[in-house]
Amino acid sequence: MRDQHAKAPSFTDLRPYKEATGTGPAGAFPVYPDLVERLLANTSQPDPEGVVPHALATCAAYAYAGSPQAADPETLAMIMARVGLEENRCRVFEQRVDALYITSAAYLLQDKDRRVVILCYRGTQPEDIISILTDADVRPETLRVDLDGERYDVHAGFYRNMRASRYLVMQALERAMRGESVDPDEQGTVGEGMEALYITGHSLGGAMAALMGVVLMHEPRYAAVAEKLRAVYTFGQPMLGGPDFAAACHRACDHRGVHVLRDRLIRYIYDRDVVPALPPRPVGPYAPFGREFHYRRQQGVVDGALTLVADAMIEALSLPGDLLGGRLRATARSRVKTMGWAVAGLVRGPGRQPGWVEVRDPAPHYPQMDSLAGLAVVAPLAFFAARLALTRNVPFTYSFEDHGPGHYVNALAPPGVMSEFGDVL
């Protein structure tokens, strides 16, 4: 287990040779001078002004800094100082066990007054085969959820990665609750302790963030920390378990009667991102929980029609396997639902405004991928097509390209806000 920590610079140190920052014109840091106050505000989630989602998407994106074998707390601390957490403390726990597909990195960021903590899990490193195999490990493990003694199966890779660092994360959060620094080298207490906790992550990191939210809600010994949890924000998060598990999370509430996993777990999906549709249906039924926000780029009728054609091609690729596996009836029902999702997008196409929209029942949610063809054929095709001018706008059903964390950062940025480098977006 690697345990590293860093201290972020001040706003002045971030811009040498220039005037002190914080209240200056565009181009001055921080991006959000009142970020701590916004994180502390006990208002409805998500933040209606978009500041909190953008800040946490930035945090999740820069959690990829470093290499698969070595996390980089200095970079994440510096970026989050630019966003608004001046002189924050950043600590990362990193565990790797290749034979078990464990490649876990959990960052804890604490503001300098020790009132706010962000727990951010690193996602799947694109160049790291072990973290990719973690996403593919679909053999179920059992997670104890304290709901009438029921046990629910969850994705094995996500579960092991979250558990790999959980005890150290909880020790650090216990320090934060007492007003101590998450940096073990700093002594003494400041203030009354942690007032607000946020959990976030992109991709695999989003899955671990959601599972940590489940653990906090259902472990009685963590009740004091759970009371400080304001929200869980995930970006491009895959599904964790089956419909029964999702339904249990939807019903569950804490001792205050708050439905945290139903109302404060916020899932963002960028356009045709393939990962929120995973794991694919052939490995078993999976279902999402929490609130879903979907970003759709502008799409005309022709684009929508091409999408339906692509769906038909996937059907042709996967139907023989479904017949051989005796799954035709269940698959047919699923595809009717998936086709309804696609047709709904086609009908809205020409008049639809691009941007983030919350998906509310009875509108169909982002569907689980029906076949391995979508993962093995369509998503890679879309990734490479996006890099060629002639095929860049072909509307593939799923795309690895849309999974990039930068898409989430840019799409969630409020109008006119600066980037983390001081440029006006």
Side-chain angles (χ1 to χ4, degrees):
M1 176 74 73
R2 294 168 59 91
D3 180 355
Q4 304 177 75
H5 46 86
K7 177 182 176 181
S10 67
F11 294 146
T12 302
D13 292 339
L14 286 169
R15 294 184 67 83
Y17 304 108
K18 296 187 178 182
E19 295 179 1
T21 62
T23 59
F29 291 113
V31 177
Y32 299 115
D34 60 345
L35 180 59
V36 172
E37 287 71 23
R38 287 178 178 272
L39 292 169
L40 286 168
N42 194 14
T43 57
S44 60
Q45 302 291 342
D47 170 19
E49 295 184 24
V51 171
V52 173
H54 180 227
L56 294 182
T58 303
C59 184
Y62 278 93
Y64 287 101
S67 69
Q69 288 76 31
D72 184 357
E74 290 84 2
T75 293
L76 185 58
M78 179 269 292
I79 289 295
M80 291 309 291
R82 290 171 177 266
V83 174
L85 296 182
E86 181 182 24
E87 297 180 358
N88 69 76
R89 274 43 171 191
C90 180
R91 187 176 183 184
V92 59
F93 303 112
E94 191 172 20
Q95 177 71 273
R96 189 178 178 96
V97 184
D98 290 358
L100 293 174
Y101 306 147
I102 294 174
T103 171
S104 177
Y107 288 88
L108 284 157
L109 292 109
Q110 182 184 45
D111 78 298
K112 64 179 180 180
D113 294 325
R114 304 180 186 176
R115 302 175 69 193
V116 175
V117 173
I118 299 172
L119 170 58
C120 179
Y121 288 95
R122 185 181 66 194
T124 303
Q125 293 281 13
E127 75 280 14
D128 183 15
I129 187 62
I130 296 299
S131 60
I132 292 171
L133 287 172
T134 295
D135 289 346
D137 182 7
V138 296
R139 291 168 293 131
E141 288 283 333
T142 300
L143 171 67
R144 170 67 71 176
V145 178
D146 189 14
L147 291 172
D148 299 324
E150 296 286 341
R151 298 180 72 91
Y152 298 95
D153 291 336
V154 297
H155 186 291
F158 305 156
Y159 181 70
R160 291 194 186 101
N161 274 264
M162 183 274 294
R163 288 297 300 268
S165 59
R166 188 179 78 172
Y167 71 100
L168 289 174
V169 166
M170 294 310 302
Q171 285 180 358
L173 288 176
E174 186 178 25
R175 289 174 56 91
M177 289 288 292
R178 297 193 296 262
E180 298 177 27
S181 173
V182 297
D183 182 343
D185 293 341
E186 292 188 344
Q187 304 299 315
T189 62
V190 173
E192 301 298 321
M194 181 177 70
E195 299 175 33
L197 170 66
Y198 289 82
I199 310 178
T200 190
H202 170 266
S203 189
L204 166 64
M208 289 192 283
L211 272 177
M212 189 60 172
V214 173
V215 167
L216 286 181
M217 287 299 100
H218 296 293
E219 289 280 2
R221 64 185 182 276
Y222 297 154
V225 174
E227 285 187 5
K228 308 299 182 182
L229 179 62
R230 296 294 169 84
V232 179
Y233 283 79
T234 71
F235 310 96
Q237 173 210 317
M239 290 174 277
L240 308 179
D244 290 345
F245 174 69
C249 291
H250 185 82
R251 294 190 305 267
C253 59
D254 63 15
H255 67 278
R256 301 166 297 175
V258 178
H259 289 79
V260 175
L261 301 177
R262 183 191 70 187
D263 301 333
R264 299 188 184 181
L265 192 148
I266 317 295
R267 295 181 298 109
Y268 289 95
I269 301 173
Y270 181 82
D271 206 28
R272 301 160 297 164
D273 187 348
V274 65
V275 172
L278 300 178
R281 193 169 298 278
V283 305
Y286 279 68
F289 59 92
R291 296 172 63 188
E292 178 180 308
F293 288 80
H294 191 194
Y295 183 91
R296 296 294 281 178
R297 289 177 290 208
Q298 189 71 44
Q299 187 181 60
V301 172
V302 174
D303 293 337
L306 288 173
T307 300
L308 294 179
V309 171
D311 285 338
M313 293 173 62
I314 298 173
E315 298 272 347
L317 285 168
S318 56
L319 185 57
D322 294 328
L323 286 170
L324 290 173
R327 297 188 298 268
L328 184 58
R329 181 175 297 178
T331 301
R333 286 197 300 266
S334 169
R335 287 177 182 166
V336 167
K337 182 178 179 181
T338 303
M339 192 63 71
W341 179 79
V343 170
L346 173 59
V347 170
R348 294 192 304 268
R352 182 183 62 200
Q353 294 298 315
W356 293 102
V357 175
E358 183 172 6
V359 179
R360 297 178 180 271
D361 295 331
H365 290 257
Y366 204 65
Q368 184 181 8
M369 185 179 291
D370 283 325
S371 73
L372 293 173
L375 181 61
V377 178
V378 177
L381 266 178
F383 177 80
F384 290 108
R387 280 149 177 75
L388 301 174
L390 291 176
T391 57
R392 185 168 296 143
N393 295 320
V394 175
F396 289 93
T397 307
Y398 301 110
S399 173
F400 283 126
E401 168 68 19
D402 285 355
H403 186 56
H407 289 307
Y408 287 90
V409 174
N410 293 336
L412 284 163
V417 74
M418 293 183 296
S419 75
E420 64 272 22
F421 294 106
D423 308 304
V424 178
L425 296 177

